[in-house]
């Protein structure tokens, strides 16, 4: 049996910030939209602090917390692996929970190989049924 290929990974630096935010706020969620400004960077909210749209896509989890993409953004990036990272400084908008700590989550992308594309982990779509 072939091992499934994850669509999402996290750097140790980002994981450290996620754990700190979990201690401060409890359960979390991540969302990345396809819009301008702060929408282009991943946002971290308290779980339920952002309302998902129909067909938004969960590409994986960070420390057990869902990482959602706007469905239009997913269509654009569905052939790419996402790596959640963090950098010093405040990104555009500042709605994400890490902002008051002088941090900003960012994503590094890489295109999947043809072989990886055949073995990707399943997706989960948001529905209101």
């Amino acid at each position: 049996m072939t091992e499934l290929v994850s669509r999402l990974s996290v750097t140790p630096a980002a994981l450290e910030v996620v754990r700190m935010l979990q201690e401060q706020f409890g359960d979390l969620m991540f969302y990345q939209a396809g819009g301008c400004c702060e929408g282009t960077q991943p946002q971290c909210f308290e779980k339920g602090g952002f309302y998902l749209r129909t067909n938004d896509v969960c590409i994986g989890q960070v420390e057990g917390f869902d990482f959602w993409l706007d469905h239009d953004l997913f269509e654009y990036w569905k052939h790419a692996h996402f790596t959640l990272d963090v950098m010093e400084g405040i990104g555009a908008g500042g709605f994400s929970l890490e902002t008051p700590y002088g941090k900003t989550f960012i994503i590094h992308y890489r295109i999947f190989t043809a072989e990886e594309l055949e073995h990707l982990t399943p997706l989960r779509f948001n529905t209101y049924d």
Side-chain angles (χ1 to χ4, degrees):
M1 186 168 120
T2 305
E3 189 173 325
L4 292 176
V5 175
S6 174
R7 297 170 181 270
L8 175 68
S9 60
V10 59
T11 66
L15 195 55
E16 184 178 321
V17 173
V18 169
R19 288 175 178 157
M20 183 260 309
L21 293 174
Q22 178 187 14
E23 286 180 24
Q24 180 75 24
F25 298 102
D27 289 346
L28 306 171
M29 67 180 291
F30 293 87
Y31 190 82
Q32 188 170 348
C36 70
C37 307
E38 72 280 347
T40 58
Q41 69 190 57
Q43 302 287 301
C44 181
F45 301 101
E46 292 179 65
K47 185 176 181 177
F50 184 86
Y51 293 105
L52 301 172
R53 298 183 314 155
T54 299
N55 292 325
D56 282 346
V57 183
C58 182
I59 62 166
Q61 294 188 327
V62 176
E63 282 294 278
F65 305 122
D66 290 342
F67 191 102
W68 293 92
L69 294 181
D70 169 270
H71 67 272
D72 294 329
L73 181 68
F74 173 74
E75 283 302 314
Y76 186 79
W77 285 105
K78 65 184 172 186
H79 300 295
H81 179 271
F82 285 53
T83 300
L84 181 67
D85 200 357
V86 68
M87 60 181 272
E88 297 293 324
I90 298 173
F95 297 116
S96 195
L97 291 176
E98 78 281 2
T99 301
Y101 302 97
K103 310 277 187 199
T104 298
F105 286 118
I106 59 173
I107 292 290
H108 302 288
Y109 304 94
R110 76 165 176 82
I111 302 301
F112 289 117
T113 66
E115 183 178 340
E116 286 174 322
L117 284 170
E118 294 177 17
H119 304 288
L120 293 174
T121 56
L123 297 167
R124 194 168 86 237
F125 294 87
N126 186 56
T127 62
Y128 290 102
D129 297 339

